[in-house]
Amino acid sequence: MFLVKKVSKNEYEDFLSLPRKIHKKNELMQKFSDEEMLLKGTHTLSRYFEMTAFVCYEDGKAVGRCAVTIYHGKDEGYIGFFDAENNIDAVREMFSFAENFAREKGVKKLTGPVDASFWIGYRMKSDKFDEERFFSEPYGKEYYPTLWKECGYEVAETYISNIYKKLSKKEEDDERYIKRYNYFIKKGYKIVNAKKEDWDSAVGEVYSLLIRLYSDFPVFSHITEDEFKEMYKSLKMILDFSMVKLGYKDGKMVGFFIAVPDYRNKLNGKIGLSEILFLLKNRRKCDNYILLYIGVDEKHLGLGSALSQSMFESLRKRGASSIGALIKKGKASEKYIDKKILYQREYLLFEKEM
């Protein structure tokens, strides 16, 4: 027999602990502290929405969880923080309960998985479950997409991650990208590595570009510069700044390309001495980098290829592999340095009319 309960702000242990029972330790990508703050309503972004969490029990045992997020003044909601055993009856019961709750709140469509916000996490892994998770990758079990589809959710968007081959120091560059890089340099553009001492200022320029360029993405929501800086303050600690490429024209930032060492899931839980040593070692020199954020001002189209050339030159010098992470299918960045792509991983975003 199934029982679905709404999670209170003071009793959320079952909600937080379920992922550890579903996933192996090396698969778990849960950001425990973020979830706890969201449940308490104390997260940096909590003022924008109401998040309500649910846990499904079978004979007293927690077998599934999810959360519905409703933004103030909107009739579209998000469903996320999904984890469950491979039990379609339990998931149907839980989704039905959550969906009825959303309808009563005036929601006409649910999109997911979205973990409360574009800025916190969204999308569902849909293939290559036998491979090690990379830093920032959406996680899930191989049966999750089937459970969602059987509960009436349809695929709304598809995303991919490009898995690039390990580059040797003798690797030949792609002539197309060399030409594009030289073209922009001759036009007076500067492509430089970020500097740690200047990052607090540079991150504000990244914010201004990113907010404008990403505003047409599904589930995007506006946040202030202060909130952005609070959300991403940990970047300064984990970045190798030589792997952050900034493009300038006439002293103004017009493009960026940010790569992060592949810390996998090592920094998601409690940070102890072993995690700190792992961070320090990989921040200095890593054998795989996650190409996480790229953005170019609309008036400077083509600069993305030049930034990519600069990034792949750094990867070549390191003899490192890389992953172009979480690209919306059909975007130009899906094809950057395409001759170096080994294969792709896929992720899905679902929706359901209420």
Side-chain angles (χ1 to χ4, degrees):
M1 181 172 177
F2 301 112
L3 175 66
V4 181
K5 290 184 179 180
K6 189 162 65 171
V7 176
S8 74
K9 290 185 178 181
N10 299 317
E11 296 181 1
Y12 45 73
E13 179 55 35
D14 287 343
F15 184 89
L16 291 177
S17 64
L18 184 63
R20 297 196 296 271
K21 300 172 183 177
I22 300 290
H23 303 276
K24 297 176 183 177
K25 186 176 181 180
N26 66 337
E27 296 175 343
L28 187 62
M29 306 296 284
Q30 181 184 23
K31 297 177 181 177
F32 194 93
S33 60
D34 275 0
E35 291 185 13
E36 189 171 31
M37 286 188 290
L38 285 163
L39 290 167
K40 291 179 178 179
T42 59
H43 191 276
T44 302
L45 303 184
S46 289
R47 71 184 182 94
Y48 290 107
F49 50 73
E50 175 189 351
M51 191 187 92
T52 306
F54 306 92
V55 175
C56 180
Y57 297 88
E58 182 177 19
D59 299 327
K61 174 192 173 187
V63 295
R65 73 168 202 167
C66 69
V68 169
T69 303
I70 303 172
Y71 277 69
H72 305 313
K74 294 187 177 181
D75 60 7
E76 292 186 15
Y78 300 142
I79 185 165
F81 291 112
F82 174 82
D83 275 303
E85 294 183 359
N86 191 6
N87 185 332
I88 184 58
D89 293 327
V91 173
R92 279 201 182 104
E93 191 78 16
M94 180 174 69
F95 274 174
S96 178
F97 193 97
E99 289 161 10
N100 285 334
F101 170 85
R103 286 190 193 96
E104 291 173 1
K105 295 288 186 177
V107 171
K108 296 180 179 178
K109 182 174 72 173
L110 280 174
T111 301
V114 178
D115 298 342
S117 171
F118 169 91
W119 303 100
I120 297 171
Y122 68 108
R123 296 162 288 209
M124 176 184 290
K125 184 174 176 64
S126 62
D127 67 0
K128 307 295 190 298
F129 289 96
D130 58 329
E131 298 181 3
E132 192 170 34
R133 308 296 191 262
F134 61 78
F135 179 76
S136 80
E137 184 177 26
Y139 72 97
K141 303 297 286 186
E142 64 276 6
Y143 56 85
Y144 280 12
T146 299
L147 290 177
W148 280 59
K149 290 173 184 177
E150 290 189 8
C151 288
Y153 286 82
E154 298 180 349
V155 176
E157 301 286 348
T158 302
Y159 300 80
I160 58 94
S161 290
N162 289 330
I163 311 301
Y164 291 97
K165 68 179 183 178
K166 190 178 184 70
L167 301 180
S168 73
K169 294 183 179 180
K170 296 180 180 180
E171 190 86 25
E172 291 186 6
D173 287 317
D174 189 316
E175 287 296 326
R176 296 173 299 167
Y177 288 85
I178 293 175
K179 288 180 180 179
R180 188 59 60 91
Y181 177 88
N182 290 334
Y183 169 82
F184 278 96
I185 297 303
K186 288 177 181 178
K187 286 285 186 178
Y189 289 79
K190 290 184 178 180
I191 296 177
V192 301
N193 296 338
K195 295 180 179 179
K196 186 175 183 178
E197 58 269 26
D198 299 331
W199 183 243
D200 290 340
S201 172
V203 75
E205 295 180 277
V206 169
Y207 162 82
S208 297
L209 263 177
L210 192 149
I211 284 288
R212 192 169 76 249
L213 297 173
Y214 285 32
S215 61
D216 65 339
F217 275 47
V219 311
F220 177 87
S221 57
H222 182 88
I223 61 176
T224 68
E225 183 174 336
D226 285 343
E227 289 164 343
F228 178 82
K229 288 179 176 179
E230 176 65 22
M231 287 286 296
Y232 290 96
K233 62 183 179 183
S234 62
L235 268 181
K236 190 172 184 179
M237 179 179 70
I238 67 175
L239 285 175
D240 172 354
F241 285 93
S242 67
M243 298 298 287
V244 178
K245 310 297 179 180
L246 305 177
Y248 291 90
K249 184 69 167 74
D250 301 325
K252 180 183 179 182
M253 187 187 293
V254 293
F256 59 84
F257 199 169
I258 300 174
V260 179
D262 186 7
Y263 298 111
R264 302 193 290 280
N265 68 344
K266 299 291 188 182
L267 306 182
N268 283 6
K270 294 182 179 179
I271 305 298
L273 179 59
S274 63
E275 287 77 21
I276 292 172
L277 293 174
F278 178 85
L279 185 154
L280 293 174
K281 176 185 175 184
N282 283 274
R283 187 176 63 186
R284 183 173 63 253
K285 188 178 188 305
C286 192
D287 59 5
N288 189 47
Y289 289 84
I290 311 305
L291 311 179
L292 207 52
Y293 303 108
I294 186 168
V296 173
D297 188 294
E298 307 95 322
K299 297 178 182 178
H300 306 269
L301 294 180
L303 182 61
S305 297
L307 289 165
S308 296
Q309 173 59 30
S310 179
M311 181 66 74
F312 275 79
E313 173 66 14
S314 293
L315 289 167
R316 186 172 61 81
K317 288 178 179 178
R318 285 168 166 76
S321 58
S322 61
I323 299 175
L326 307 173
I327 305 162
K328 189 172 181 293
K329 201 165 182 64
K331 287 282 186 179
S333 50
E334 181 184 355
K335 300 296 184 182
Y336 283 161
I337 317 290
D338 52 350
K339 291 183 179 179
K340 312 293 185 188
I341 298 173
L342 291 174
Y343 63 94
Q344 296 178 328
R345 295 186 190 179
E346 184 184 77
Y347 314 86
L348 304 174
L349 188 67
F350 294 91
E351 65 182 20
K352 183 177 181 179
E353 300 291 338
M354 293 291 99

